[in-house]
Amino acid sequence: MAKSSVKNESSVKNFLYLFIFMMLIWLALTSSLHWQELIVGCVVSIVITFFLNSNYQPLGLPSLNLIKIFYIFIYLIVLFIEIVKANFDVAYRVLHPKMPIKPGVVIIKTSLRQDIAKLILANSITLTPGTFTLDIKKDKLLIHWIYVRSENIEDSTKLIGARFEKYLGKIFS
Amino acid sequence: MGIVGMIITGIGVLFLLLGNFGILRLPDVYNRIQAGTKCTTFGAFFTIVGIGILEPNWFWKCLLIAAFVLITNPISSHAIARASKIIGVLLCDKSVIDKTEEFKNEKGV
Amino acid sequence: MTILIVFAIIIVLGMFFSFLRMLIGPTASDRAVAVDTITTTTVALLVLLAFIFERYVYLDVSLVYALLAFVGLVALARYLERGI
């Protein structure tokens, strides 16, 4: 009995997330707040969500509260700063006449469990200075590093993954 | 408002040029992917958002396109990098370390 | 407006570099990466052209182009992986 109620709850939660996401996309596409557009958008979103709900169940999305939303904002700001730094880093390496690169492939560890958290971590690592995710197996990530600073697993984990994992761990706890 | 949008678009265009130049200049596939992914994602994001600021009626749609580029670009280049690792494209001569073999022996999915 | 046309010319110049890599590229993955870069650049160029020619429809074109390019590149990567 208890198990089925938990399952129900997560299904409703997923339905709401997907519905709000669809509605946001609809609003951005039409960019108008006329009531006819809103009604059509609601109907279309509900139909799509109804059919796709079961596919998004295994992702394991977390339940949100104010503190988590706050951490999501901090995470976005940190990500943006890292992206800007990454671009100046690449610009320096491409335009320098001697090309100061020392590439290599290293392994790092992660403590995150959910698939969606690992996906976000991998994409964030791809967008940040000098690193690029090649593959994921369980809790290990294969990383291509354009300027290798350390070769063992613990140090690379601290240098590459720790700054995101701090916040992602709080969001997906 | 016009000048702000113009500057943001200009930054984006500059980084698009740099990313494409990096594709031509860097030595092997993985380094090229580094330049390609980072610079083009950032450049496309800034160009599109800059146009959205120049024409405020289009802002939300431009933001949607920019967000789409920001989400999908790392995924597609990750797919290409993984494929080239599996078919065995070699790293360039300057590389110092390669732990791929160690990673292949790991258990799991 | 003139500045925006100069921007469009710069973007096309950048695409020419990637095009060269697509012609030279020693392996198939090199060419795939070059195509990836060209498609992302084209999405940005289409939005810029939409503003220059004042056509709202071009935004839809660039959105659909981004979608199709993503699907196509993932399919291309799967094809390379299996080595068919």
Side-chain angles (χ1 to χ4, degrees), chain A residues 4-15:
Chain A
S4 80
S5 82
V6 167
K7 208 175 177 185
N8 248 337
E9 208 170 279
S10 85
S11 154
V12 169
K13 195 180 69 187
N14 256 315
F15 192 89

Side-chain angles (χ1 to χ4, degrees), chain B residues 10 13 17 20 23-24 29 32-33 40 51 55 58 61 65 68 72-73 76-77 79 82-84 86-87 89, chain C residues 7 10 14 17-18 21 29-30 33 36-37 40-41 48 50-51 56 59-60 62-63 66-67 70 77 80-81:
Chain B
V13 167
L17 182 69
N20 283 300
I23 292 276
L24 186 63
V29 183
R32 279 176 205 142
I33 291 175
T40 51
I51 294 295
E55 180 81 53
W58 299 0
K61 200 160 196 178
I65 300 173
F68 187 77
T72 58
N73 210 7
S76 66
S77 44
R82 186 161 171 269
S84 49
I86 286 173
I87 60 176
V89 178
Chain C
F7 284 168
I10 292 176
F17 290 136
S18 289
R21 173 54 65 195
S29 320
D30 283 302
V33 173
D36 183 14
T37 314
T40 314
T41 316
L48 195 60
F51 185 73
Y56 183 70
L59 288 185
D60 295 315
S62 85
L63 189 61
L67 266 164
F70 171 63
L80 283 176
E81 207 170 289

Side-chain angles (χ1 to χ4, degrees), chain A residues 80, chain B residues 8 12 40-50 63 66-67 69-70, chain C residues 44:
Chain A
F80 184 76
Chain B
I8 291 179
T40 51
T41 309
F42 181 78
F45 188 85
F46 263 57
T47 312
I48 296 169
V49 170
L63 201 65
V69 167
L70 192 67

